[in-house]
CSV table of all heavy atoms in Angstrom, one decimal:
chain,number,residue,atom,x,y,z
K,16,GLY,N,0.8,-1.2,0.0
K,16,GLY,CA,0.0,0.0,0.0
K,16,GLY,C,0.8,1.3,0.0
K,16,GLY,O,2.1,1.2,0.2
K,17,ARG,N,0.2,2.4,-0.2
K,17,ARG,CA,0.9,3.7,-0.1
K,17,ARG,C,1.4,4.0,1.2
K,17,ARG,O,2.5,4.6,1.4
K,17,ARG,CB,-0.1,4.8,-0.6
K,17,ARG,CG,0.5,6.2,-0.5
K,17,ARG,CD,-0.5,7.2,-1.0
K,17,ARG,NE,-1.6,7.4,-0.1
K,17,ARG,CZ,-1.7,8.2,0.9
K,17,ARG,NH1,-0.6,8.9,1.2
K,17,ARG,NH2,-2.8,8.2,1.7
K,18,ARG,N,0.6,3.5,2.2
K,18,ARG,CA,1.0,3.7,3.6
K,18,ARG,C,0.4,2.5,4.4
K,18,ARG,O,-0.6,1.9,4.0
K,18,ARG,CB,0.5,5.0,4.1
K,18,ARG,CG,0.9,5.3,5.6
K,18,ARG,CD,0.6,6.8,5.9
K,18,ARG,NE,-0.8,7.1,5.7
K,18,ARG,CZ,-1.4,8.3,5.8
K,18,ARG,NH1,-0.6,9.3,6.1
K,18,ARG,NH2,-2.6,8.5,5.6
K,19,ASN,N,1.0,2.2,5.6
K,19,ASN,CA,0.5,1.2,6.4
K,19,ASN,C,0.1,1.7,7.8
K,19,ASN,O,0.8,2.6,8.4
K,19,ASN,CB,1.6,0.1,6.6
K,19,ASN,CG,2.0,-0.6,5.3
K,19,ASN,OD1,1.2,-1.3,4.7
K,19,ASN,ND2,3.2,-0.3,4.8
K,20,LEU,N,-0.9,1.1,8.4
K,20,LEU,CA,-1.4,1.4,9.7
K,20,LEU,C,-1.5,0.1,10.5
K,20,LEU,O,-2.3,-0.7,10.1
K,20,LEU,CB,-2.7,2.2,9.7
K,20,LEU,CG,-3.3,2.6,11.0
K,20,LEU,CD1,-2.3,3.5,11.8
K,20,LEU,CD2,-4.6,3.3,10.8
K,21,TYR,N,-0.6,-0.1,11.5
K,21,TYR,CA,-0.6,-1.3,12.2
K,21,TYR,C,-1.3,-1.2,13.5
K,21,TYR,O,-1.0,-0.3,14.4
K,21,TYR,CB,0.9,-1.7,12.5
K,21,TYR,CG,1.7,-2.0,11.3
K,21,TYR,CD1,2.5,-1.0,10.7
K,21,TYR,CD2,1.7,-3.2,10.7
K,21,TYR,CE1,3.2,-1.2,9.5
K,21,TYR,CE2,2.4,-3.5,9.5
K,21,TYR,CZ,3.2,-2.5,8.9
K,21,TYR,OH,3.9,-2.7,7.8
K,22,LEU,N,-2.4,-1.9,13.7
K,22,LEU,CA,-3.2,-1.9,14.8
K,22,LEU,C,-3.3,-3.3,15.4
K,22,LEU,O,-4.2,-4.1,15.2
K,22,LEU,CB,-4.7,-1.5,14.5
K,22,LEU,CG,-4.8,-0.1,13.8
K,22,LEU,CD1,-6.2,0.1,13.3
K,22,LEU,CD2,-4.4,1.0,14.8
K,23,ASN,N,-2.2,-3.6,16.2
K,23,ASN,CA,-2.0,-5.0,16.7
K,23,ASN,C,-2.9,-5.4,17.8
K,23,ASN,O,-2.7,-6.5,18.4
K,23,ASN,CB,-0.5,-5.2,17.0
K,23,ASN,CG,0.3,-5.0,15.8
K,23,ASN,OD1,0.0,-5.4,14.7
K,23,ASN,ND2,1.5,-4.5,16.0
K,24,THR,N,-3.9,-4.5,18.2
K,24,THR,CA,-4.7,-4.9,19.3
K,24,THR,C,-5.9,-5.7,18.9
K,24,THR,O,-6.7,-6.2,19.8
K,24,THR,CB,-5.2,-3.6,20.0
K,24,THR,OG1,-5.8,-2.7,19.0
K,24,THR,CG2,-4.1,-2.9,20.7
K,25,GLY,N,-6.1,-6.0,17.6
K,25,GLY,CA,-7.2,-6.9,17.3
K,25,GLY,C,-8.0,-6.4,16.1
K,25,GLY,O,-8.0,-5.2,15.7
K,26,TYR,N,-8.8,-7.3,15.5
K,26,TYR,CA,-9.6,-7.0,14.4
K,26,TYR,C,-10.7,-6.0,14.7
K,26,TYR,O,-11.3,-5.3,13.7
K,26,TYR,CB,-10.2,-8.3,13.8
K,26,TYR,CG,-9.2,-9.1,13.0
K,26,TYR,CD1,-8.7,-10.2,13.6
K,26,TYR,CD2,-8.8,-8.8,11.8
K,26,TYR,CE1,-7.7,-11.0,13.0
K,26,TYR,CE2,-7.9,-9.5,11.1
K,26,TYR,CZ,-7.3,-10.7,11.7
K,26,TYR,OH,-6.4,-11.4,11.1
K,27,HIS,N,-11.1,-5.9,15.9
K,27,HIS,CA,-12.2,-4.9,16.2
K,27,HIS,C,-11.8,-3.5,15.9
K,27,HIS,O,-12.5,-2.7,15.4
K,27,HIS,CB,-12.6,-5.0,17.7
K,27,HIS,CG,-11.5,-4.8,18.7
K,27,HIS,ND1,-10.4,-5.6,18.8
K,27,HIS,CD2,-11.4,-3.9,19.6
K,27,HIS,CE1,-9.6,-5.2,19.7
K,27,HIS,NE2,-10.2,-4.1,20.3
K,28,LEU,N,-10.5,-3.2,16.1
K,28,LEU,CA,-10.0,-1.8,15.8
K,28,LEU,C,-9.8,-1.7,14.3
K,28,LEU,O,-10.0,-0.6,13.7
K,28,LEU,CB,-8.6,-1.6,16.5
K,28,LEU,CG,-8.7,-1.1,18.0
K,28,LEU,CD1,-7.3,-0.7,18.5
K,28,LEU,CD2,-9.6,0.1,18.1
K,29,ILE,N,-9.4,-2.8,13.6
K,29,ILE,CA,-9.3,-2.7,12.2
K,29,ILE,C,-10.7,-2.4,11.6
K,29,ILE,O,-10.8,-1.5,10.7
K,29,ILE,CB,-8.8,-4.1,11.6
K,29,ILE,CG1,-7.4,-4.4,12.1
K,29,ILE,CG2,-8.8,-4.0,10.1
K,29,ILE,CD1,-6.3,-3.5,11.7
K,30,LEU,N,-11.7,-3.1,12.0
K,30,LEU,CA,-13.1,-2.8,11.5
K,30,LEU,C,-13.5,-1.4,11.8
K,30,LEU,O,-14.1,-0.7,11.0
K,30,LEU,CB,-14.0,-3.9,12.1
K,30,LEU,CG,-15.4,-3.9,11.5
K,30,LEU,CD1,-15.4,-4.1,10.0
K,30,LEU,CD2,-16.2,-5.1,12.1
K,31,ASP,N,-13.3,-0.9,13.0
K,31,ASP,CA,-13.6,0.4,13.4
K,31,ASP,C,-12.9,1.5,12.5
K,31,ASP,O,-13.5,2.5,12.1
K,31,ASP,CB,-13.3,0.7,14.9
K,31,ASP,CG,-13.9,2.0,15.3
K,31,ASP,OD1,-15.1,2.3,15.1
K,31,ASP,OD2,-13.2,2.8,16.0
K,32,SER,N,-11.6,1.2,12.2
K,32,SER,CA,-10.9,2.1,11.4
K,32,SER,C,-11.4,2.1,9.9
K,32,SER,O,-11.4,3.1,9.3
K,32,SER,CB,-9.4,1.7,11.4
K,32,SER,OG,-8.9,1.8,12.7
K,33,ILE,N,-11.8,0.9,9.5
K,33,ILE,CA,-12.4,0.9,8.1
K,33,ILE,C,-13.7,1.7,8.1
K,33,ILE,O,-13.9,2.5,7.1
K,33,ILE,CB,-12.7,-0.6,7.7
K,33,ILE,CG1,-11.4,-1.4,7.6
K,33,ILE,CG2,-13.5,-0.7,6.5
K,33,ILE,CD1,-11.7,-2.9,7.4
K,34,ARG,N,-14.5,1.6,9.1
K,34,ARG,CA,-15.8,2.3,9.1
K,34,ARG,C,-15.5,3.8,9.1
K,34,ARG,O,-16.3,4.6,8.5
K,34,ARG,CB,-16.6,2.0,10.3
K,34,ARG,CG,-17.1,0.5,10.3
K,34,ARG,CD,-17.9,0.3,11.6
K,34,ARG,NE,-18.4,-1.1,11.6
K,34,ARG,CZ,-18.2,-1.9,12.6
K,34,ARG,NH1,-17.4,-1.6,13.6
K,34,ARG,NH2,-18.7,-3.1,12.6
K,35,ARG,N,-14.4,4.2,9.7
K,35,ARG,CA,-14.0,5.7,9.8
K,35,ARG,C,-13.3,6.2,8.5
K,35,ARG,O,-12.9,7.3,8.4
K,35,ARG,CB,-13.2,5.9,11.0
K,35,ARG,CG,-14.0,5.7,12.3
K,35,ARG,CD,-13.0,5.8,13.5
K,35,ARG,NE,-13.7,5.5,14.7
K,35,ARG,CZ,-14.4,6.3,15.5
K,35,ARG,NH1,-14.6,7.5,15.1
K,35,ARG,NH2,-15.0,5.9,16.6
K,36,GLY,N,-13.1,5.3,7.6
K,36,GLY,CA,-12.4,5.7,6.3
K,36,GLY,C,-10.9,5.8,6.4
K,36,GLY,O,-10.3,6.5,5.6
K,37,LEU,N,-10.3,5.2,7.4
K,37,LEU,CA,-8.8,5.4,7.6
K,37,LEU,C,-8.0,4.6,6.6
K,37,LEU,O,-6.8,4.8,6.4
K,37,LEU,CB,-8.4,5.0,9.0
K,37,LEU,CG,-9.0,5.9,10.1
K,37,LEU,CD1,-8.5,5.5,11.5
K,37,LEU,CD2,-8.7,7.4,9.9
K,38,GLY,N,-8.6,3.5,6.0
K,38,GLY,CA,-7.9,2.7,5.1
K,38,GLY,C,-8.7,1.5,4.7
K,38,GLY,O,-9.9,1.4,5.0
K,39,ILE,N,-8.0,0.5,4.1
K,39,ILE,CA,-8.5,-0.7,3.6
K,39,ILE,C,-8.0,-1.9,4.5
K,39,ILE,O,-6.8,-2.0,4.7
K,39,ILE,CB,-8.2,-1.0,2.2
K,39,ILE,CG1,-8.7,0.2,1.3
K,39,ILE,CG2,-8.8,-2.3,1.7
K,39,ILE,CD1,-8.1,0.2,-0.1
K,40,GLY,N,-8.9,-2.7,5.0
K,40,GLY,CA,-8.4,-3.8,5.9
K,40,GLY,C,-9.0,-5.2,5.4
K,40,GLY,O,-9.9,-5.2,4.6
K,41,LEU,N,-8.3,-6.2,5.9
K,41,LEU,CA,-8.8,-7.6,5.6
K,41,LEU,C,-9.6,-8.1,6.8
K,41,LEU,O,-9.1,-8.1,7.9
K,41,LEU,CB,-7.6,-8.5,5.4
K,41,LEU,CG,-6.8,-8.3,4.1
K,41,LEU,CD1,-5.5,-9.2,4.2
K,41,LEU,CD2,-7.6,-8.7,2.9
K,42,ILE,N,-10.9,-8.4,6.5
K,42,ILE,CA,-11.8,-8.8,7.6
K,42,ILE,C,-12.5,-10.1,7.1
K,42,ILE,O,-12.8,-10.3,6.0
K,42,ILE,CB,-12.9,-7.7,7.8
K,42,ILE,CG1,-12.2,-6.4,8.3
K,42,ILE,CG2,-13.9,-8.2,8.8
K,42,ILE,CD1,-11.6,-6.5,9.7
K,43,ALA,N,-12.7,-11.0,8.1
K,43,ALA,CA,-13.4,-12.2,7.8
K,43,ALA,C,-14.9,-11.9,7.4
K,43,ALA,O,-15.6,-11.2,8.0
K,43,ALA,CB,-13.4,-13.1,9.0
K,44,LYS,N,-15.2,-12.5,6.3
K,44,LYS,CA,-16.6,-12.3,5.7
K,44,LYS,C,-17.7,-12.6,6.7
K,44,LYS,O,-18.7,-11.9,6.7
K,44,LYS,CB,-16.7,-13.2,4.4
K,44,LYS,CG,-18.1,-13.0,3.7
K,44,LYS,CD,-18.2,-14.0,2.5
K,44,LYS,CE,-19.5,-13.9,1.8
K,44,LYS,NZ,-19.6,-14.8,0.7
K,45,ARG,N,-17.5,-13.6,7.5
K,45,ARG,CA,-18.5,-14.1,8.5
K,45,ARG,C,-18.9,-12.9,9.4
K,45,ARG,O,-20.1,-12.8,9.8
K,45,ARG,CB,-17.9,-15.2,9.3
K,45,ARG,CG,-18.8,-15.7,10.4
K,45,ARG,CD,-18.1,-16.7,11.2
K,45,ARG,NE,-17.7,-17.8,10.4
K,45,ARG,CZ,-18.4,-18.8,10.0
K,45,ARG,NH1,-19.7,-18.9,10.4
K,45,ARG,NH2,-18.0,-19.8,9.3
K,46,PHE,N,-18.0,-12.0,9.7
K,46,PHE,CA,-18.2,-11.0,10.7
K,46,PHE,C,-18.9,-9.7,10.1
K,46,PHE,O,-19.4,-8.9,10.9
K,46,PHE,CB,-16.9,-10.6,11.4
K,46,PHE,CG,-16.2,-11.7,12.1
K,46,PHE,CD1,-14.8,-11.6,12.3
K,46,PHE,CD2,-16.9,-12.7,12.6
K,46,PHE,CE1,-14.2,-12.7,12.9
K,46,PHE,CE2,-16.3,-13.8,13.3
K,46,PHE,CZ,-14.9,-13.7,13.5
K,47,ILE,N,-19.0,-9.6,8.8
K,47,ILE,CA,-19.5,-8.4,8.3
K,47,ILE,C,-20.6,-8.6,7.2
K,47,ILE,O,-20.9,-7.7,6.4
K,47,ILE,CB,-18.3,-7.6,7.6
K,47,ILE,CG1,-17.5,-8.5,6.7
K,47,ILE,CG2,-17.4,-7.0,8.7
K,47,ILE,CD1,-16.4,-7.7,5.9
K,48,GLU,N,-21.2,-9.8,7.1
K,48,GLU,CA,-22.1,-10.0,6.1
K,48,GLU,C,-23.3,-9.1,6.1
K,48,GLU,O,-23.8,-8.7,5.1
K,48,GLU,CB,-22.6,-11.5,6.1
K,48,GLU,CG,-21.5,-12.5,5.7
K,48,GLU,CD,-21.9,-13.9,5.8
K,48,GLU,OE1,-22.8,-14.2,6.6
K,48,GLU,OE2,-21.4,-14.7,4.9
K,49,ARG,N,-23.8,-8.7,7.3
K,49,ARG,CA,-24.9,-7.8,7.4
K,49,ARG,C,-24.6,-6.4,6.9
K,49,ARG,O,-25.4,-5.8,6.2
K,49,ARG,CB,-25.4,-7.7,8.9
K,49,ARG,CG,-26.1,-9.0,9.4
K,49,ARG,CD,-26.7,-8.7,10.7
K,49,ARG,NE,-27.3,-9.9,11.3
K,49,ARG,CZ,-26.8,-10.6,12.3
K,49,ARG,NH1,-25.5,-10.3,12.7
K,49,ARG,NH2,-27.4,-11.7,12.8
């Protein structure tokens, strides 16, 4: 990527950061189908 943001405290912060538009993350499909 152009830049990296490392959030090693867990996927919950990755998902929250995605919702806030901070970047693109890899998330398990099972957790976000809705």
Side-chain angles (χ1 to χ4, degrees):
R17 179 177 66 88
R18 182 170 56 187
N19 298 292
L20 182 57
Y21 297 94
L22 301 170
N23 296 326
T24 52
Y26 285 102
H27 57 298
L28 278 186
I29 299 294
L30 191 51
D31 188 50
S32 298
I33 293 171
R34 293 182 181 121
R35 296 173 185 274
L37 296 183
I39 302 167
L41 289 171
I42 296 291
K44 180 182 179 183
R45 175 184 305 279
F46 299 152
I47 53 173
E48 288 182 329
R49 292 192 182 97

